Amino acid sequence: MTTSINVDTQRTVTPLWPVPQERRVVTVLFADIVGSTALVDRLDPEDVRALQRAYFDTVAGVLHRWHGVVEKYIGDAVMALFGARHSDGFDAYRAVRAGLEIQAALDRRPMVDGIRLRVRVGVATGEVVVDLGDVVTGGHGVASGAVITSAARLQEYAAPGAVALCAATARATAGLITQRQLTPVPVDGRVPPVPVWHAVGPVRPGADRHDGPLIGRRRELATIRDQLGAAIRNRTPRWISLVGPTGSGRSRLLHELTRGLTTVDGLPVRWCVATCQPYPDQVLAPVAHLLRSLAGIRHSDGPAAAHDRLVAALTPLFPPTRVAAAVPALERMLTTPDGSAAALAGAAICREVLLRLAAHRPLIVAVDDLDRAAPVVSRFLHTLFGAATERGLPLALLTVHQPQWADSRPGPARQLTIGPLATVQSGRLLRHLLTRAGQPVALVDRLLPLVGGRPGHAAAYVTSLVDGADPGALPLPEAVRRAVGAELDHLDGERRAVLMAAGTLGGLISGAAVDRALGWTPGRSAPALRGLVAAGLLLPHHVDGYAFAAPALRQVAAERLPRALRAVFQRRAAGVSHLDSVRRNDNPRGGAVNGSAARSAEIVRLDTVGARTGRLDAVFAALASAGPGGVTGPTALGRANPTPTMATRPAAPGPGADRTAGPRRLRAVASAGDVPPTPAPAVSVTPGGSSSRDVGRPAAPVRPTPASSAGHLTLADAGTPPGVVRALPRPPLIRPLDGLPASA
């Protein structure tokens, strides 16, 4: 059977952003002819040339259809990359399928003088540095990394006609490819021996297991039930799209709907559900899945059983003569659901069966992961929905897909976006998963900030713990890395650049910091930031700036950048203020300060302050050495705050003080520890509470003035333990650095 791979033209095309290299996890396929030396020695050079041409054409054709890029030809060997420029999260799966199809294609293709070529294929997955501009067929030196050598060595341990997999590839294709583990093999320079798997073939599609309780999502469930109920009750078909990123729990929500919504106003409701597998063997496979669902045909049923079930399903809907004509066409589509005329005719009959079924009983047709299907499946659903609308049938369509998938849904379509779980709900889910997996429930506190409210990420972290991950390190699970990397690759150039640059910055993300990191003009990143918010990848902060919707997204975005470029972004952004503004209505008493509207407090990270040795140390030393009226020593220190943070309250200004430039509160906060501290410019505190930052010029000497500014408070850390902030009631004033304006 010839495999047909279709590229969905509705998928987002990703233009490259101007960075020459990226660190990416790719899958490498290495194929080599068995016994090529002896074969070449006994053939005429012209026959060798014809044999090589047939071999390379066959292999390159298969690799191209599975979206692989031929990186180089080495003698009789071919090396290809999957996921070098764009990843869909299934790079390893496509590489293994390509390896299996290469073996089958060479077995079918006649060679010179009846020669039968046998090849070994090795497939390995790992991190490389990729030259994005050279990711074209025949682009030598596109990728660099140990995984390339691993793929070449793996093929040596594959039997002729077989495909050998590394451990990472086996994990990435588990549940999609049938595998057989072999005895670990010794590899030079590696201890212990390396485990090897052989790929057998693709796994027949099956339904995912959802045996745990559904936590949260009550609002989403109620909304969808209301929409489906209205469509059936009013006999006005509706198309509902359930949209969410990978790991958001879309399929779990669909499972709960099919299990819980069985009647509407006392009328029994029938569900007909199909799941789209990644890169199905045939384009109409989801329609065939719908037909199996409505007729109750199992994959284990033979031709006779399938025939009987089709007859039983069609008999109440069509006259006998129509049943006799329709069943053979449906059987052909079940056997070969490709894009041929016969298969399309069977799909048309299947659509009519669904319409007739809805006329007898309310029907809900659901398609999971529709973004994986070919465009012909979308056309099938559009035609079904249009016909149901014309006939006024109690039918509803429920499609599940990712946010970036763009389909021209009809006007009556409703879209429901699945957001992240609340913190309390994420904690309940983690406790349930950890308990069921036999892991310590105390790990909830460690895992909660990592999962980002995505149930799939929570399950992946718990699974990694079961598989032996270090609870102290909690590395990012491979499944999460693949899914998040695919989200990143779906972005256009500007948004992708902004997100990757933002990943190198700590704390809240501001447009000014992103512009400075990328070397852009001020304000250029604003449209991209708004687009990332609309895509659900960034969340607007209630004060100022943005935060990543998923912690894994920040990590993957930053780690994609080479180390040198990461350092450049951090160095550029260091000139942007590290003091973020918060609203003065954070005042716990809720009142005004000094009789006027409260101004913003300045927030200072304690670890950042501690890291600013040299220039800032001199400033703080000067502040700590002077008490009220110039008094120095321990008596100048106020009572220590027992907590790691504190907010100082400015005293009332004198009668002649300028209230428009009044003092600001200083609030020192502990670092979240999400990224390593970066060197920051020196800060000079002005009499008005403002600060000026040294942007690249040598630090000016600190010149304390007479302590005549009563009413100002300052920070002092002399003689205090780490993390404790003390207050002085009357600090000296520090003038701005020469040549730099004071700014609030």
Side-chain angles (χ1 to χ4, degrees):
M1 182 187 302
T2 302
T3 303
S4 177
I5 307 301
N6 290 268
V7 180
D8 191 346
T9 56
Q10 295 171 334
R11 297 180 189 271
T12 305
V13 178
T14 308
L16 296 177
W17 64 293
V19 171
Q21 295 179 342
E22 274 190 17
R23 299 172 65 102
R24 302 179 65 92
V25 175
V26 304
T27 299
V28 182
L29 181 146
F30 199 96
D32 197 8
I33 299 176
V34 178
S36 60
T37 302
L39 181 62
V40 170
D41 286 344
R42 65 183 179 86
L43 290 179
D44 183 83
E46 294 183 12
D47 295 334
V48 172
R49 182 64 175 269
L51 184 67
Q52 287 179 332
R53 183 171 297 170
Y55 163 67
F56 287 134
D57 288 347
T58 301
V59 172
V62 172
L63 293 172
H64 177 71
R65 291 195 304 107
W66 284 100
H67 306 168
V69 175
V70 178
E71 204 252 8
K72 65 182 66 173
Y73 297 96
I74 311 170
D76 297 322
V78 180
M79 192 187 90
L81 304 175
F82 292 80
R85 173 179 288 182
H86 180 275
S87 175
D88 57 1
F90 296 99
D91 307 316
Y93 174 72
R94 289 185 286 109
V96 176
R97 290 296 304 271
L100 292 170
E101 190 175 329
I102 285 172
Q103 304 288 16
L106 291 174
D107 287 342
R108 293 191 303 265
R109 180 161 184 171
M111 296 294 173
V112 177
D113 295 334
I115 295 174
R116 184 184 181 190
L117 287 181
R118 303 296 287 167
V119 299
R120 295 187 178 97
V121 177
V123 182
T125 301
E127 189 179 32
V128 297
V129 176
V130 180
D131 290 322
L132 296 178
D134 294 332
V135 182
V136 294
T137 297
H140 295 274
V142 169
S144 302
V147 65
I148 297 174
T149 304
S150 298
R153 289 180 175 175
L154 271 174
Q155 65 87 22
E156 298 175 0
Y157 297 100
V163 179
L165 315 178
C166 73
T169 305
R171 290 191 297 267
T173 57
L176 298 172
I177 298 292
T178 303
Q179 306 162 0
R180 183 176 70 255
Q181 186 170 4
L182 306 180
T183 303
V185 297
V187 176
D188 292 340
R190 296 190 182 181
V191 178
V194 176
V196 179
W197 284 258
H198 273 184
V200 178
V203 174
R204 180 174 290 133
D208 295 332
R209 291 184 57 187
H210 300 287
D211 51 0
L214 180 68
I215 296 177
R217 307 304 189 197
R218 292 184 179 180
R219 180 178 301 176
E220 292 88 342
L221 276 175
T223 301
I224 298 175
R225 283 172 176 164
D226 289 345
Q227 295 288 337
L228 296 175
I232 293 172
R233 187 179 302 110
N234 302 327
R235 301 179 70 88
T236 55
R238 293 191 182 184
W239 185 318
I240 300 135
S241 291
L242 192 58
V243 181
T246 302
S248 60
R250 302 167 310 186
S251 299
R252 180 66 181 87
L253 194 56
L254 174 60
H255 172 77
E256 190 69 18
L257 287 166
T258 58
R259 190 178 65 88
L261 184 59
T262 57
T263 60
V264 173
D265 295 342
L267 295 175
V269 175
R270 179 162 186 174
W271 284 83
C272 188
V273 183
T275 300
C276 301
Q277 295 295 307
Y279 299 96
D281 287 341
Q282 308 291 349
V283 295
L284 286 174
V287 178
H289 194 177
L290 284 175
L291 180 60
R292 292 180 184 274
S293 177
L294 68 89
I297 301 174
R298 297 182 293 268
H299 285 283
S300 58
D301 290 339
H307 176 86
D308 293 341
R309 293 183 185 276
L310 284 174
V311 171
L314 268 63
T315 298
L317 307 176
F318 297 97
T321 55
R322 182 72 185 277
V323 172
V327 168
L330 295 176
E331 289 176 329
R332 286 192 296 271
M333 190 193 71
L334 288 176
T335 304
T336 311
D338 56 11
S340 63
L344 291 173
I349 296 174
C350 179
R351 182 167 50 244
E352 185 61 28
V353 170
L354 291 171
L355 294 170
R356 295 285 185 98
L357 195 61
H360 286 75
R361 178 180 175 181
L363 178 67
I364 302 175
V365 177
V367 181
D368 196 6
D369 292 318
L370 183 58
D371 49 298
R372 300 177 181 174
V376 65
V377 178
S378 293
R379 291 194 293 268
F380 173 88
L381 295 176
H382 279 274
T383 306
L384 173 67
F385 183 80
T389 303
E390 291 178 0
R391 303 183 191 183
L393 299 176
L395 180 144
L397 274 177
L398 180 60
T399 56
V400 183
H401 56 83
Q402 296 191 43
Q404 67 270 7
W405 186 68
D407 183 26
S408 55
R409 291 179 296 275
R414 276 79 171 174
Q415 178 171 310
L416 177 64
T417 301
I418 304 178
L421 290 174
T423 303
V424 174
Q425 297 168 345
S426 296
R428 288 175 52 201
L429 176 62
L430 283 169
R431 282 191 292 273
H432 167 76
L433 293 174
L434 289 169
T435 301
R436 190 173 64 175
Q439 299 295 315
V441 180
L443 290 172
V444 169
D445 293 337
R446 295 282 313 281
L447 292 172
L448 195 58
L450 301 177
V451 301
R454 293 194 186 184
H457 291 192
Y461 270 104
V462 175
T463 300
S464 68
L465 291 171
V466 174
D467 292 339
D470 182 8
L474 289 176
L476 187 66
E478 293 177 356
V480 176
R481 186 181 298 277
R482 288 192 299 269
V484 171
E487 290 182 52
L488 192 63
D489 282 347
H490 277 293
L491 300 175
D492 58 30
E494 292 253 326
R495 290 187 297 172
R496 186 173 170 189
V498 167
L499 199 65
M500 294 175 75
T504 65
L505 311 177
L508 288 180
I509 304 159
S510 67
V514 172
D515 288 332
R516 192 178 185 99
L518 290 170
W520 288 356
T521 57
R524 179 177 170 183
S525 65
L529 288 168
R530 290 193 295 268
L532 291 169
V533 171
L537 301 179
L538 291 181
L539 301 176
H541 196 265
H542 68 282
V543 176
D544 184 23
Y546 305 87
F548 277 85
L553 186 61
R554 177 194 286 272
Q555 180 175 343
V556 174
E559 292 177 353
R560 281 280 191 89
L561 296 169
R563 295 191 305 266
L565 189 57
R566 228 178 295 169
V568 169
F569 285 176
Q570 292 173 347
R571 186 174 65 251
R572 289 176 179 173
V576 181
S577 171
H578 287 268
L579 305 179
D580 301 320
S581 297
V582 297
R583 300 185 186 280
R584 286 294 292 270
N585 59 14
D586 289 342
N587 179 16
R589 300 183 181 180
V593 179
N594 297 336
S596 62
R599 292 187 177 87
S600 298
E602 299 292 325
I603 297 180
V604 184
R605 287 177 175 242
L606 293 181
D607 62 342
T608 306
V609 172
R612 297 176 186 174
T613 58
R615 290 172 293 180
L616 274 183
D617 287 349
V619 176
F620 279 88
L623 293 176
S625 63
V631 178
T632 62
T635 58
L637 299 177
R639 183 172 58 87
N641 191 336
T643 62
T645 64
M646 71 169 291
T648 60
R649 186 180 182 88
D658 182 7
R659 295 180 182 268
T660 61
R664 295 182 183 269
R665 290 183 295 148
L666 288 177
R667 188 169 69 183
V669 299
S671 171
D674 48 357
V675 294
T678 55
V683 179
S684 174
V685 182
T686 66
S690 59
S691 61
S692 59
R693 295 164 179 81
D694 182 7
V695 285
R697 65 175 65 214
V702 179
R703 298 188 295 273
T705 60
S708 59
S709 56
H712 289 276
L713 299 180
T714 184
L715 298 175
D717 56 359
T720 61
V724 177
V725 180
R726 298 182 182 273
L728 290 176
R730 297 170 60 89
L733 296 181
I734 307 298
R735 293 177 182 173
L737 300 179
D738 293 338
L740 293 179
S743 59

